[in-house]
Amino acid sequence: MHTDWIRGWGNVIIINHGGEYLSTYGNNSALLKRAGDMVKAGEVIASVGNTGGNEESGLYLELRHRGQPLDPAGWVKF
Protein backbone atom coordinates (compact mmCIF):
# COMPACT_ATOMS: atom_id res chain seq x y z
CA MET A 1 0.00 0.00 0.00
CA HIS A 2 1.12 3.53 -0.76
CA THR A 3 -0.26 6.69 0.87
CA ASP A 4 0.50 10.28 -0.10
CA TRP A 5 -0.90 13.67 -1.07
CA ILE A 6 -0.93 14.14 -4.85
CA ARG A 7 -1.78 17.44 -6.51
CA GLY A 8 -5.25 17.25 -8.09
CA TRP A 9 -6.04 13.99 -6.28
CA GLY A 10 -5.58 15.10 -2.66
CA ASN A 11 -4.93 12.43 -0.02
CA VAL A 12 -4.49 9.16 -1.91
CA ILE A 13 -4.27 5.48 -1.02
CA ILE A 14 -3.04 2.97 -3.61
CA ILE A 15 -3.52 -0.70 -2.79
CA ASN A 16 -1.66 -3.52 -4.54
CA HIS A 17 -4.04 -6.50 -4.58
CA GLY A 18 -1.55 -8.87 -6.19
CA GLY A 19 -1.84 -10.34 -9.66
CA GLU A 20 -0.94 -6.89 -11.04
CA TYR A 21 -4.23 -5.36 -9.78
CA LEU A 22 -4.14 -1.89 -8.18
CA SER A 23 -6.89 0.27 -6.73
CA THR A 24 -6.50 4.01 -6.14
CA TYR A 25 -8.70 6.05 -3.80
CA GLY A 26 -8.35 9.83 -3.94
CA ASN A 27 -9.95 13.00 -2.58
CA ASN A 28 -9.87 11.65 1.00
CA SER A 29 -10.09 13.97 4.00
CA ALA A 30 -8.25 11.50 6.26
CA LEU A 31 -6.15 8.41 5.58
CA LEU A 32 -6.74 5.69 8.18
CA LYS A 33 -3.95 3.40 6.95
CA ARG A 34 -0.24 3.97 6.39
CA ALA A 35 2.12 2.81 3.67
CA GLY A 36 2.87 -0.88 4.16
CA ASP A 37 -0.25 -1.65 6.24
CA MET A 38 -2.24 -4.77 5.37
CA VAL A 39 -5.90 -4.23 4.43
CA LYS A 40 -8.70 -6.78 4.75
CA ALA A 41 -11.86 -6.84 2.63
CA GLY A 42 -14.47 -4.47 4.03
CA GLU A 43 -11.99 -2.57 6.19
CA VAL A 44 -12.29 1.23 6.32
CA ILE A 45 -9.13 2.82 4.88
CA ALA A 46 -10.03 6.53 4.62
CA SER A 47 -12.66 9.22 5.10
CA VAL A 48 -14.06 10.80 1.95
CA GLY A 49 -13.43 14.50 1.50
CA ASN A 50 -12.52 17.12 -1.06
CA THR A 51 -8.74 17.37 -0.75
CA GLY A 52 -8.24 17.03 -4.50
CA GLY A 53 -9.56 20.51 -5.17
CA ASN A 54 -13.21 19.65 -5.84
CA GLU A 55 -15.78 21.89 -4.19
CA GLU A 56 -17.91 18.92 -3.05
CA SER A 57 -16.87 15.81 -1.14
CA GLY A 58 -16.60 12.62 -3.13
CA LEU A 59 -14.41 9.61 -3.73
CA TYR A 60 -12.13 9.19 -6.72
CA LEU A 61 -11.77 5.48 -7.48
CA GLU A 62 -9.54 3.96 -10.11
CA LEU A 63 -8.89 0.26 -10.79
CA ARG A 64 -6.04 -1.01 -12.97
CA HIS A 65 -4.76 -4.37 -14.15
CA ARG A 66 -1.30 -4.48 -15.71
CA GLY A 67 -1.46 -0.69 -16.00
CA GLN A 68 -4.73 -0.67 -17.95
CA PRO A 69 -7.84 0.98 -16.45
CA LEU A 70 -10.82 -1.20 -15.51
CA ASP A 71 -14.47 -0.19 -15.17
CA PRO A 72 -15.14 -0.32 -11.39
CA ALA A 73 -18.89 -1.01 -11.88
CA GLY A 74 -18.26 -4.77 -12.00
CA TRP A 75 -16.17 -4.69 -8.82
CA VAL A 76 -18.09 -2.42 -6.44
CA LYS A 77 -21.32 -3.13 -4.55
CA PHE A 78 -23.75 -0.20 -4.45
Side-chain angles (χ1 to χ4, degrees):
M1 176 185 337
H2 177 78
T3 60
D4 206 346
W5 186 90
I6 300 174
R7 184 177 177 189
W9 291 32
N11 291 320
V12 174
I13 291 182
I14 301 172
I15 298 176
N16 181 343
H17 298 275
E20 298 185 59
Y21 285 93
L22 298 174
S23 58
T24 302
Y25 308 86
N27 225 25
N28 300 292
S29 66
L31 303 178
L32 306 178
K33 294 291 184 177
R34 294 182 179 179
D37 286 351
M38 296 298 292
V39 178
K40 296 177 183 175
E43 191 171 2
V44 177
I45 60 172
S47 298
V48 174
N50 64 346
T51 60
N54 296 319
E55 291 186 21
E56 294 185 29
S57 292
L59 174 68
Y60 174 81
L61 170 63
E62 180 177 292
L63 301 175
R64 291 189 172 262
H65 181 244
R66 296 183 177 167
Q68 298 300 311
L70 299 172
D71 182 355
W75 295 79
V76 178
K77 288 183 183 179
F78 293 99

